Every structure is written in structure tokens, then in C-alpha cells.
Amino acid sequence: MPQTDLLDTDVALARMVLTEVGILEKQLIRWMAEMEKIDGQIFWKLNNAWVERHKSKIASYYGIIKQPLLDNITIHHVPLTTCMTGELLGIGSLPRPPNWFRRYAKKEASHALGIETSRLFPSKYRLSEAAPLHAAKRGMASYMRLFRSSGLSLPNERWFDQALLDIEDMSRDFPHLLWVAREGVIREDPASSVNDMNSRLELFQVPDSPKPSEKTLARFSTRLSEPGGHQDLDFARFFLQEYGKIFETHRVHYNLLGVPPLYRAAIFPRFVQLINLVFSKTGSVIKAAEALIQNPDLYTFRRGCPNDADVMSFGKFHRLRTKFPIRKRPPAKSSCCGSFSGKPDITISIFPGCLCMVAAAKEPSDVSWLLSLCTQALKKEDVAKFNRLVATVGELATIDAIRGLARLRSKVRHATMLGQLNAALAYAASASGLTTVEAEELVALQYGLNESHSRVDELSAGVKVVLNLMGSGQGVIYYEDAENKHLSRLPVMVRKAPGVEAILRAARADAKMLTADMSIHRLRLERSWLTGQTWLYSVFQERWLSHPVLGWLARRQIWLVAEPDGTVFTCLFGRNGEVYDADGNKHLPLKAGVLLSLWHPLHGEGKDADGKSIVARWRATLERLKISQPIRQAWRETYTLTQAERESSPASYRYAGRILNQAQVVEIGRKRGWRIRNLSPHIPSSESAPWTFGLPAHGIYAEIRTGGVGINDLEHGAGTFTHVITDRVRFCVLKDQGNWLYDGGRKLTEMKTPLRLGDISQVVFSEIMRDVDLMVSTAASNISFDPETISSIPDLGVWRRQSGLANISISNESNFGGLAQSRREAIVSLLPSFKAGDAISVDGNYVFINGVRYNYKINIGTGDVMVIPYNRHLVLRSDIGKFSYDESSEYIPLHDDDQLALILNRITMLLKDNGIRDQDILDQLTSLSD
């Protein structure tokens, strides 16, 4: 509604009244300040003194000593005249309040128990039908608090001017949001006419659920086929997009009237009309101002929350009225308390309704902006909004929708959000008759890469920018000249050429997106060991080997081939379609009917004629061909069942008793797909919720029990424990009443029935234990404790409610797990490449380096450096000599191990420590001789 909907004379009159309100309010605030100079608690003390005196009067009048009747007299019944009664405190005279306040205080006589009556204000000052004629008046303390809390509590000229600006801004930037907000204001006022209401608000009323029902979608589809249906669709789109814009700066929560500028713009016309109504009844600007200031609890900025200081609480709130007659409903059953709560018949929270309209339209062009809203809701962790948005994207079920949901899934850590996203992704995939994994393979972007997995864009003067895949799947750009030689930097003249900056900007964006996509593809392929995914060779050729992005990944992994006659062997695919065996020799081409799966070291432990295992053969072949695997296989850590675990089955205590940083382990676990609930001392139910990982392909799920540590060490108001302690790992039955391949696992049920560890697949057991090892070794805490007694850990076992956790023994072993062991083996294999002879050696968990100036040892688990024989810790920044993936780099078998790259760079630097130029390191080394 534009500002011209109001007459200039009406706006001018409202400004005059508010100007007078500001004068009256400042008079009152000055007087309150004078009163508090006498005693900072004077109003509170006057309240208490009046209550005590009044109790005595009632007890004497009725002849009672102790009665609940007396206890009902509180400070809420104290009349305003009390603030002028100095004799209550033995004070002779008090500062004189403003005259308008004296007159008002004498008229208003608030009292308890009906001994005296209370009037809100005289009927001639009645402001609207929303304001009752008679009501219990707030006591003196409540009245005064409304002015003390903010200094300026009532609408004033500043608010008036801001409202005029808001009307202009909201009408320009958020016209559809403003329309809805004003519709809510109209419907809230019982005095407004039904003819003023717009039935579009009824159209967008839907049940409050993340996924719309078929009946709801059918209703909107019917509306789209009617005259004016596409205008409602356009309204829904504009409303949602404007909602996303305003959501960037405000926490909306579907309540538009909670956004200060939008509320001011919506309420302003009604407020101006109300002031004019008061003026018409009083005939005086001053009396109209007095009517407002005498009732600050009805017309104030204060709504109980400091963030709402500029949102005016306007009169008595009512439910929103519907434009159409309300259908009669059966009477609600009363509860045991004799009361019930119900929702309003209509609401201005039409966000879900607008999404239903968009979902019913099923137009592919809506996917892009809906996904941007999903990302926004994810960043703000708005679970309800995110769930509704992804459900709508899933309903559209286009290729872009599937691709966008898959990218979102790699960023989601919240369990509820992840569950709804998986369901939406599964629904979108099943609409095409595919599983989620199959759909993700088919929609993988190619980014314009050629058969060599690169893309070349011409810039200027023969200079090109090349987008390529390197390392473990990083999108990298570099420059080449006309002779295809690498350039360290782009020439200035080329950079300034027309159109070059746009090409470079697009290349950088694609490189970033390619890296993100490849991490998704890599994790999905790695999890095929747990999902049991296999491929027919003909399908594999089409979806993987022929794809320039997925093909790059497939040609660096080892595959297990199963022929129809039962023959099983491993192979590696070459760039031109060749097939190689474990020794790097060419193999006969594969037949179309063979079955492929990702090879795991535990799939075969056989040896060749020379006694060399298949793992060792593949390691030698990969090193000779300089193939760094994005998903480590030949160098992969494996975890097999121990005798102790067979005896403790169905539980494994291999990683029990480790103290971990909770925030760190939660981030790692959720990124790997574990369902983890933060442990909180304030939510006892969180203690009994294990961390779980679903394996529906095997009908089981893994769980690890944990407990919080150090409740006394938490800061005041801390929501979660800083540290946790680990307990047992188990595998339990997972029941599926649907089909997890197509429904996103919505019907999976954890049965809590444990299974014997010996019945679990070797590969599944190994991969789950590898995840646990990763979490334990990475998030290990440096909390010191006596392993002989559990009581040395703060509060552990004192408040614990989980059975068994308080009785486990604390391990005093270092956190040198399978990941660090693989790192050790990789370093040993790479020692000859340093060409340093005896200057480098590996002993136990350390690498020993004989430098030019000093000798050093590096912890393979942590990467920490100690100077020998001083045992002085050498502090090194992690970015010094940071490893960069490059075709000419030395062969690194474990590209996904950042710690390995860090250690290798430190070995290189410390071997030639006489060439160190970093001043911080030099100062540390120089201090050794002091």
C-alpha cells in the first residue's frame, strides 16, 4: 500500500499528536530521574510499603490474621497515586510529577479484591474496538518500567519518520511481503470490514508439514488451471524470492510482523487512522496524546524482547479472521487441566503455501532460485525452512534439481535436515525410475573437459587458461603460452584485454565447483564398499569411463571383476580403454556382461608364484606408473577382528576410553555420514543416543557409545560438553519396511538387536573401524589423566547415566592407529626418493632426520617436530612448504592424507636446515645454544 493511501492532513495530524506524546513522555522521564536521585529503588520500595499497609488494613477490617486472601495482594494492584505518597517511606515531600500524570493517577484507582474498581480509561478516550472499556490495570511498578527500560517506549517523531521511510522502501523492494503483512493487520482488527480482505490469503493456507500431500498439490494444480491461476503462481514466486532477500538480514521464522521495518510499514496506516479516531472523540491534540501515554502497555515499542524495540505492540492482539464463514467443528475435548490450545483459522505464514504452488507448477526454471534459498537456509541453520525448500526441489525432479540436492548433501551436518534432503533426493531420482546413486552418476557435470580431462579457453595473444584435474580431484587452473609452455603468471597485457576477466572469473568458479563435485563423487564411490554397489561393464563404460570427470576418477582406482563363470580378478583401466592387471601388464578386453565393483584389500589376500601379495603387487605397479589414487586402495588401512573382540562380542572395546574434543569429532563424523547428537549436560536424553551409521544394504547399522566429560569445567551457559569419552562399538539389526534405494531410507528402523562381530562382513567391519580410527586419532584430546583411576577425569562416572561407561578402563596408549600406520608405510617406501642415505630413518612412530645444523625427529601421528638431543619442540606453521599437487611432483601414494604431505615437506626442509630463511624458525634454533 503506497503512502498516498492516507490523506496528507491525516498524516500531519498524527505527527502533531506524536510530537505531543514525546513532550509528555520526556516530562515523565525527567520526574522519574528526580525521584531516583532520592533513592535508586524508590518506586520498588513504595510498592512494597503500600502492599504491607494494605494487607494490614484488610486484616484489621475483616479480623483475619493469615488468609490466602492477603497473599493475593501484589505489587500489580498498587495504584499510580502511590508514587506521590512520601509518608509511606517517612519522606516528607517528593518531587512534583507532571500535571497530566497527577490528573491521570487520581482518576485511575487500582485495587485488589474488588474493594475498589479499576477503569482502563474513560469511554470517551476509547481508541478502537480492539481496546476493551474495562480491564485490570497494571500496577505502578509495571507502568513505570515501560518508560525506564528504553528511555523512549511510545511511538514518537523518530518512529514516525522511520515508518514513512519504511513504507517507501518496503513498497519498492518487498511489495508482496508488505501486502501480506498489511493483510494480517487488517484481519487482526475486529473493526475492519470483511470486504477489505483478499481471499488470496486463504488460498495459500496449507498444513504445516515439510512435504506437501498429494491432496494439497492437487488443490494448487486445480487453481493453476483456473482463470487467474498463473497470477497466483507469479505472486508465490515473488513472495518467496522477496522472503529470501529479507531473510538475509532478519530472522523471520515465517512471522513477517516480527520484522521491524515491514511491521512499521504495515501498521502505519492503521495507527494514523486510530489517532484520527481519538482526536475526533476528544477534540484535542493534547487529550489524544494523553490517551496514548496513559496506556503504554497497549501502545508501546516494548514486546518483551529487546530486539523488538522498534516493533510497536498495537492494542489487544486477536486471531486473524477468515474472509469466509468458519465451518462448524465438533467441540474440542477438554484436557485434564480443563483447557486446550488451538491454532488460528488463518495465518500470514504463507511460505509453505507458496512453495506448494511452485511445486504444483513443476517448472524447471524455478530450480535455480529455490536451490539458492536452500543454501541460505542451510547457512542460517533454519531447519524448518530448509526442509520445506528441499522437499519442493525434490518435487520438481529435474536433472538440475538432482544435481543441486546432491551438492547440498555434502554440506549438511544436521541429522533432521539430512534426512529430509535424502528423502527429497530419492523422490526426485525415483521419478525417473532410478536409485539415488544412479541418478547422481547420470547428472554429473562435465565442465567442458575433453578426453584428457582438461579444458582450454583462449585468452589473448595465444595465451590460454587451462582447467585440469589434479591430486585427489582438485580443479586447478594454470596458464600456457602459444607453444603450450606453462606460465607462472598471466601477462599484464593479456589480463587487460577485452573479455579476459570474464573468462578467468568463469574458469575460477568452475574450478571451485569441480573440486566440490569431485569430493562428492569420491565419497560416494568410496562408500560403495558399504552400499554394495556394482556395475555392469556396459553401464560402467557409459557412466564412468566415457565421462570426462568420473572417468578421471575411475582410471585411478583398482576394480574387482567378476565374470559369469565365477572367475574373479582385479584390473586398472588405462586412458585409451586398455585393461591392466596387478603387475601392470595388458589384460584381454573385458566382456560386456562382467560385473565390476571397487576393489578392497580384504577382497583377496592371495599371493603370486613368488610369494608376493596382490596388495604389494598393486603398490609396486601404482608407484611405477606414478598413479596417485584419490581413494586409497593399495595403501588402505584394514582392520580385522581380534581375539579379544571375539571374546567381547557383540561389542568391540578397541577404541573405548579415549578422550576426544567433541566439536572436532562431531564435525569429522558428520562429514563421513555418521548420525551424531551433541552431548549436553542440560539434555539427559542426549546421553543415551549413540552415534550411528546406517548400512541398509547389509541390514545393519553401527553404533558407538560416548559420554560427556568435565561438567564442572564448562563455562556458564555452555550448551555442550567440550570433551567426550568413547565406549563400545556394536553392530545391530536395521529393519527396512520400504526400499532404501528409492525412498531415501525413510522407513528404516533401528531394532537395537546386536549381532556377533564374527557375522559382520570383513570389509564392512574394516571400513567402520577405519571411520572410528579417523575420528579418534584426529580429535584426540591432550587432557592428562592417571590411567589407573577413572575418578581423575572431572565428573566422569559421577553424573553418568549410561550403564557400562563408568566402568571401562582407560587406555594409556598413544593414538597411533591404522591411519598413522599407513602413513608410516608410505614414508618408508618414499625414503629412497629423498636420496639422503642414512640421513633419514624410520624407527617406531618417528622419522629421524640428520640435518646440517641439528638432528630432528618427527612424530608420524601428529607431525610434531622435536630437536635432538635438546628435546625442544620446534613450532612450525602448517603453511610452510605447503604441498601443491602437480604433474611433476614426486609420487605420493596417499593424496587424501594432508598430514603425510605436511611431514614430507618438513623432512625436505629439515634435511637442509642451513637453507631455512623463516625468521621465527631461525630464532627457535638460535635459542638452543643459549
Side-chain angles (χ1 to χ4, degrees):
M1 182 187 298
Q3 183 179 339
T4 53
D5 288 352
L6 294 171
L7 297 176
D8 292 341
T9 54
D10 292 339
V11 175
L13 177 61
R15 184 186 292 277
M16 291 172 61
V17 173
L18 288 186
T19 300
E20 194 63 35
V21 168
I23 295 173
L24 299 179
E25 187 174 9
K26 289 177 181 177
Q27 291 175 357
L28 181 61
I29 293 173
R30 277 198 302 267
W31 169 73
M32 290 173 63
E34 292 177 7
M35 290 281 287
E36 290 176 344
K37 286 181 181 178
I38 299 174
D39 190 320
Q41 301 292 325
I42 191 168
F43 294 106
W44 180 256
K45 291 179 178 179
L46 285 169
N47 271 286
N48 292 338
W50 183 91
V51 170
E52 292 302 321
R53 187 182 71 173
H54 206 62
K55 282 183 178 181
S56 299
K57 285 184 179 181
I58 293 177
S60 175
Y61 184 82
Y62 290 105
I64 57 177
I65 300 176
K66 194 172 184 180
Q67 180 77 9
L69 187 70
L70 297 178
D71 297 333
N72 288 331
I73 301 174
T74 68
I75 60 173
H76 296 294
H77 303 115
V78 178
L80 285 177
T81 52
T82 304
C83 64
M84 294 177 279
T85 313
E87 59 269 19
L88 284 172
L89 300 179
I91 301 174
S93 61
L94 291 172
R96 181 183 177 86
N99 290 333
W100 69 266
F101 181 78
R102 288 174 61 84
R103 292 194 305 270
Y104 172 58
K106 289 178 180 179
K107 289 178 183 177
E108 188 277 329
S110 181
H111 204 293
L113 310 175
I115 295 176
E116 296 183 38
T117 60
S118 171
R119 291 173 63 85
L120 179 63
F121 45 80
S123 59
K124 66 177 181 178
Y125 291 159
R126 187 178 184 188
L127 302 188
S128 74
E129 295 296 327
L133 278 174
H134 304 284
K137 188 67 178 176
R138 282 190 178 185
M140 181 188 71
S142 300
Y143 184 90
M144 296 301 179
R145 190 179 300 116
L146 288 169
F147 296 94
R148 284 193 58 204
S149 58
S150 64
L152 294 172
S153 67
L154 297 179
N156 51 32
E157 284 190 280
R158 182 180 62 82
W159 181 91
F160 191 91
D161 293 335
Q162 185 61 53
L164 290 175
L165 293 175
D166 290 336
I167 290 175
E168 197 173 316
D169 293 341
M170 296 297 108
S171 300
R172 181 186 66 248
D173 299 332
F174 305 99
H176 298 80
L177 299 187
L178 181 58
W179 178 89
V180 175
R182 287 192 172 174
E183 188 70 18
V185 170
I186 291 172
R187 291 168 180 261
E188 187 185 66
D189 186 1
S192 61
S193 170
V194 175
N195 296 328
D196 296 334
M197 304 177 189
N198 192 312
S199 59
R200 178 174 278 168
L201 201 64
E202 274 80 6
L203 170 68
F204 290 109
Q205 303 300 305
V206 297
D208 190 13
S209 60
K211 182 177 174 59
S213 65
E214 293 183 5
K215 182 179 179 180
T216 299
L217 291 177
R219 176 166 70 87
F220 283 100
S221 296
T222 302
R223 175 57 187 153
L224 283 171
S225 63
E226 297 173 350
H230 280 278
Q231 283 82 356
D232 289 330
L233 174 60
D234 291 338
F235 174 88
R237 288 194 181 110
F238 287 129
F239 176 88
L240 292 170
Q241 291 170 13
E242 289 177 13
Y243 197 99
K245 286 172 58 180
I246 205 167
F247 190 76
E248 293 178 357
T249 54
H250 295 87
R251 195 71 170 179
V252 183
H253 291 305
Y254 308 117
N255 182 11
L256 297 177
L257 297 182
V259 180
L262 198 59
Y263 182 83
R264 284 191 294 264
I267 204 70
F268 184 82
R270 180 183 171 196
F271 186 54
V272 170
Q273 292 169 1
L274 184 142
I275 292 178
N276 289 329
L277 175 64
V278 177
F279 177 77
S280 66
K281 292 185 176 183
T282 61
S284 168
V285 170
I286 294 177
K287 288 183 178 180
E290 288 181 358
L292 289 177
I293 198 169
Q294 288 167 2
N295 298 275
D297 51 340
L298 293 182
Y299 308 99
T300 178
F301 294 131
R302 312 304 295 172
R303 298 183 69 181
C305 178
N307 293 332
D308 294 332
D310 286 336
V311 179
M312 188 174 63
S313 178
F314 192 84
K316 185 177 180 180
F317 286 92
H318 293 77
R319 288 182 175 180
L320 299 188
R321 295 174 300 144
T322 179
K323 182 177 177 64
F324 306 110
I326 302 175
R327 292 177 297 176
K328 291 185 177 181
R329 300 176 181 175
K333 295 181 180 180
S334 59
S335 65
C336 59
C337 302
S339 63
F340 66 94
S341 61
K343 291 185 177 180
D345 296 308
I346 200 166
T347 174
I348 64 171
S349 302
I350 64 171
F351 186 87
C354 290
L355 286 175
C356 289
M357 176 66 86
V358 173
K362 291 188 178 297
E363 294 189 10
S365 58
D366 292 325
V367 171
S368 59
W369 61 265
L370 282 172
L371 286 172
S372 66
L373 293 181
C374 290
T375 303
Q376 183 188 78
L378 178 61
K379 289 180 179 179
K380 296 217 171 197
E381 296 185 348
D382 192 320
V383 178
K385 183 181 177 187
F386 178 85
N387 288 346
R388 288 173 176 82
L389 284 165
V390 295
T392 305
V393 175
E395 288 286 340
L396 300 182
T398 64
I399 291 178
D400 288 336
I402 295 172
R403 185 182 295 123
L405 291 174
R407 287 174 176 168
L408 277 175
R409 189 171 58 178
S410 66
K411 303 175 184 177
V412 175
R413 302 290 179 263
H414 192 284
T416 304
M417 298 165 78
L418 185 60
Q420 185 60 49
L421 191 150
N422 284 335
L425 184 56
Y427 180 86
S430 63
S432 303
L434 302 171
T435 66
T436 301
V437 173
E438 290 172 337
E440 289 177 317
E441 291 174 357
L442 289 174
V443 302
L445 283 174
Q446 299 186 10
Y447 292 95
L449 302 187
N450 55 28
E451 295 179 353
S452 300
H453 315 296
S454 62
R455 186 184 82 193
V456 179
D457 294 324
E458 296 287 343
L459 296 178
S460 177
V463 177
K464 304 177 287 288
V465 58
V466 182
L467 172 63
N468 208 341
L469 276 166
M470 294 183 180
S472 58
Q474 286 72 29
V476 177
I477 62 172
Y478 55 88
Y479 311 111
E480 290 182 351
D481 60 15
E483 299 177 356
N484 298 327
K485 294 181 180 179
H486 282 244
L487 298 175
S488 60
R489 63 180 61 187
L490 197 63
V492 177
M493 295 302 295
V494 173
R495 186 180 295 276
K496 291 183 177 181
V500 167
E501 188 58 39
I503 297 174
L504 292 177
R505 191 160 48 244
R508 294 188 197 103
D510 285 349
K512 183 178 179 180
M513 191 65 72
L514 178 57
T515 301
D517 277 2
M518 184 56 76
S519 68
I520 297 171
H521 300 320
R522 190 170 60 240
L523 181 60
R524 187 177 69 247
L525 181 58
E526 183 180 21
R527 287 310 192 194
S528 68
W529 285 316
L530 302 178
T531 60
Q533 186 183 6
T534 59
W535 296 265
L536 281 172
Y537 182 53
S538 57
V539 174
F540 185 78
Q541 282 181 307
E542 177 186 353
R543 296 182 186 175
W544 286 83
L545 295 180
S546 299
H547 195 282
V549 175
L550 298 182
W552 181 93
L553 177 60
R555 287 180 172 85
R556 281 161 173 74
Q557 305 302 148
I558 304 168
W559 298 91
L560 189 67
V561 182
E563 294 186 338
D565 61 1
T567 304
V568 178
F569 59 92
T570 57
C571 74
L572 185 74
F573 294 101
R575 177 169 293 184
N576 297 319
E578 308 93 340
V579 181
Y580 297 94
D581 62 14
D583 297 314
N585 301 319
K586 282 190 178 182
H587 191 280
L588 292 176
L590 301 183
K591 300 176 182 179
V594 301
L595 204 62
L596 295 179
S597 59
L598 192 66
W599 174 75
H600 191 279
L602 291 178
H603 279 151
E605 295 290 342
K607 298 181 179 180
D608 61 7
D610 298 330
K612 199 173 183 181
S613 70
I614 190 170
V615 173
R617 292 162 61 194
W618 273 118
R619 285 184 179 181
T621 298
L622 294 174
E623 188 170 355
R624 185 174 69 256
L625 298 176
K626 292 189 178 296
I627 296 177
S628 299
Q629 293 191 293
I631 302 171
R632 62 173 78 175
Q633 291 175 283
W635 295 87
R636 195 170 192 83
E637 315 76 33
T638 57
Y639 303 75
T640 55
L641 202 61
T642 65
Q643 183 59 35
E645 287 170 329
R646 295 182 188 277
E647 295 173 357
S648 65
S649 182
S652 168
Y653 293 90
R654 181 184 301 200
Y655 295 104
R658 305 296 180 92
I659 307 297
L660 311 177
N661 293 297
Q662 178 166 212
Q664 192 175 10
V665 73
V666 166
E667 174 63 21
I668 296 170
R670 286 178 176 173
K671 188 175 181 179
R672 299 288 297 175
W674 285 74
R675 185 185 180 99
I676 298 179
R677 185 175 180 181
N678 281 299
L679 295 183
S680 169
H682 314 298
I683 307 177
S685 62
S686 69
E687 303 168 29
S688 60
W691 299 351
T692 61
F693 187 95
L695 299 156
H698 302 272
I700 60 176
Y701 69 94
E703 69 168 28
I704 177 171
R705 292 277 178 174
T706 55
V709 174
I711 189 172
N712 289 338
D713 294 340
L714 296 178
E715 297 181 1
H716 178 69
T720 58
F721 288 99
T722 55
H723 295 83
V724 296
I725 185 172
T726 57
D727 189 21
R728 64 176 181 260
V729 177
R730 294 195 312 178
F731 294 84
C732 303
V733 174
L734 184 65
K735 186 177 181 181
D736 189 3
Q737 295 178 334
N739 188 335
W740 67 275
L741 289 170
Y742 293 94
D743 61 16
R746 286 181 294 173
K747 297 184 179 181
L748 294 172
T749 305
E750 296 175 354
M751 302 303 293
K752 302 183 186 293
T753 305
L755 299 172
R756 292 191 318 115
L757 296 179
D759 295 336
I760 307 301
S761 160
Q762 274 192 329
V763 174
V764 170
F765 180 84
S766 179
E767 287 303 298
I768 292 298
M769 285 301 181
R770 184 178 186 271
D771 273 8
V772 178
D773 186 4
L774 177 66
M775 291 187 281
V776 168
S777 60
T778 306
S781 171
N782 59 359
I783 286 182
S784 60
F785 56 88
D786 180 5
E788 300 297 327
T789 172
I790 201 167
S791 61
S792 62
I793 301 177
D795 306 300
L796 186 62
V798 176
W799 62 271
R800 286 297 309 143
R801 299 173 179 85
Q802 254 184 63
S803 60
L805 185 58
N807 300 320
I808 61 176
S809 59
I810 302 296
S811 172
N812 58 357
E813 297 178 2
S814 61
N815 291 287
F816 195 84
L819 294 173
Q821 184 62 38
S822 291
R823 192 179 302 140
R824 183 185 187 279
E825 294 175 7
I827 292 173
V828 170
S829 69
L830 292 171
L831 288 184
S833 64
F834 286 97
K835 300 178 182 179
D838 296 335
I840 309 176
S841 61
V842 177
D843 187 5
N845 299 341
Y846 294 90
V847 180
F848 291 87
I849 303 108
N850 297 330
V852 177
R853 299 177 60 184
Y854 298 98
N855 296 335
Y856 312 88
K857 69 175 181 178
I858 302 177
N859 187 301
I860 298 175
T862 65
D864 291 336
V865 178
M866 300 291 289
V867 184
I868 303 173
Y870 303 94
N871 283 330
R872 178 77 63 84
H873 183 207
L874 185 63
V875 180
L876 302 177
R877 299 196 316 272
S878 60
D879 59 345
I880 292 181
K882 188 174 181 181
F883 180 77
S884 61
Y885 298 104
D886 186 77
E887 295 286 350
S888 60
S889 299
E890 292 293 335
Y891 170 68
I892 306 296
L894 306 181
H895 262 294
D896 60 337
D897 191 344
D898 294 335
Q899 194 77 309
L900 173 62
L902 181 71
I903 292 173
L904 294 177
N905 280 295
R906 288 181 173 179
I907 292 174
T908 303
M909 179 182 67
L910 296 176
L911 273 174
K912 300 179 180 180
D913 56 357
N914 60 331
I916 294 175
R917 296 292 180 266
D918 187 276
Q919 192 59 45
D920 181 58
I921 301 175
L922 292 175
D923 291 343
Q924 294 182 66
L925 294 176
T926 302
S927 66
L928 293 173
S929 58
D930 294 344

